[in-house]
Amino acid sequence: MTRKLAISQKQAEALLRAAQKHRGIIEVETLMGTVRLIPECHVGNRVLAETPSDPPSNEDDVFIDLGPSDPPPFPGKATFVRSYLYERGHRSNHDGSHLAPLRAEAAKEWRRQLLAQELGKREKAALEYLSARKDDKHSLSELKGIGPDTIDRLLAREFVEATFHPKHPERVALVWITKSGMRELTKDKRSQKAAL
């Protein structure tokens, strides 16, 4: 049996962010009734609403609309590969050489799905920053709010180039914008002006 909880707006927002990040739906038994927090990634998803595991809707259900939120960024390569392996029954984190073909397949699938996505706001912000200083090479620490996953996505799109750390070859040491990155940025700016 579950205990009914009082839930504040701040707590509901935190739960909704977690649901959005993990692409799930959260239900909380409250004093007002059942609160179902449905992130934007599931709004309008008819398949999810028809799954038999969902209990039938109750008239006492309370839905809290927290307004539009930004969609979560496309996952970084390492996160995608890890979940790809996990979905196929490989629960261990060790780097077994027998998993190398599966990791390569996962990386190829990650890139294919990434290229089908539009450029996210973090990628745009990174390109903006790098384009303002296009002749310089920058360390990741200089790019505020832009992490390794964002750089992975830009590298896969070939909008930036990078050098890697000599002792840790999976870590980016320096990054700079490419000509195709500059073209994408100017194309994006033109489309924003046209929309106005």
Side-chain angles (χ1 to χ4, degrees):
M1 182 140 158
T2 60
R3 193 173 118 218
K4 295 188 179 210
L5 302 171
I7 186 169
S8 70
Q9 180 75 17
K10 189 174 183 179
Q11 291 169 325
E13 289 172 354
L15 287 170
L16 187 62
R17 282 192 302 274
Q20 182 75 20
K21 181 178 180 183
H22 297 286
R23 298 183 181 272
I25 294 177
I26 295 178
E27 287 187 359
V28 180
E29 290 288 326
T30 69
L31 302 173
M32 301 181 315
T34 301
V35 176
R36 182 179 289 175
L37 300 171
I38 303 173
E40 222 174 86
C41 63
H42 289 304
V43 174
N45 187 346
R46 307 300 299 168
V47 176
L48 184 67
E50 296 170 359
T51 55
S53 63
D54 286 345
S57 168
N58 185 340
E59 290 180 357
D60 294 334
D61 284 357
V62 177
F63 293 93
I64 299 175
D65 181 14
L66 299 176
S69 63
D70 292 328
F74 192 76
K77 186 176 179 181
T79 304
F80 185 89
V81 169
R82 194 170 32 256
S83 65
Y84 189 88
L85 293 174
Y86 188 84
E87 288 170 1
R88 283 149 185 79
H90 300 283
R91 309 281 194 257
S92 172
N93 282 336
H94 68 84
D95 293 327
S97 59
H98 66 286
L99 295 179
L102 196 56
R103 285 182 191 279
E105 178 184 318
K108 192 181 288 186
E109 178 63 17
W110 172 78
R111 187 169 192 275
R112 187 191 66 74
Q113 287 184 21
L114 173 69
L115 295 178
Q117 301 279 326
E118 288 188 24
L119 205 60
K121 70 178 186 177
R122 293 178 185 177
E123 288 87 1
K124 289 176 186 175
L127 289 177
E128 285 281 342
Y129 181 87
L130 293 170
S131 70
R133 298 151 185 87
K134 60 185 168 194
D135 295 332
D136 296 336
K137 295 180 179 183
H138 303 277
S139 71
L140 226 49
S141 62
E142 293 176 44
L143 305 173
K144 301 297 179 210
I146 299 162
D149 288 350
T150 304
I151 298 301
D152 280 350
R153 292 189 291 270
L154 289 171
L155 281 168
R157 293 177 189 267
E158 298 176 353
F159 292 160
V160 297
E161 288 182 359
T163 59
F164 294 89
H165 196 281
K167 291 184 181 176
H168 307 283
E170 72 282 353
R171 294 186 189 167
V172 171
L174 297 172
V175 65
W176 60 95
I177 193 165
T178 62
K179 289 180 182 177
S180 62
M182 290 296 289
R183 279 194 300 273
E184 179 65 27
L185 191 60
T186 55
K187 182 177 89 173
D188 186 56
K189 285 181 182 178
R190 280 190 212 127
S191 66
Q192 285 177 353
K193 285 182 183 178
L196 296 175

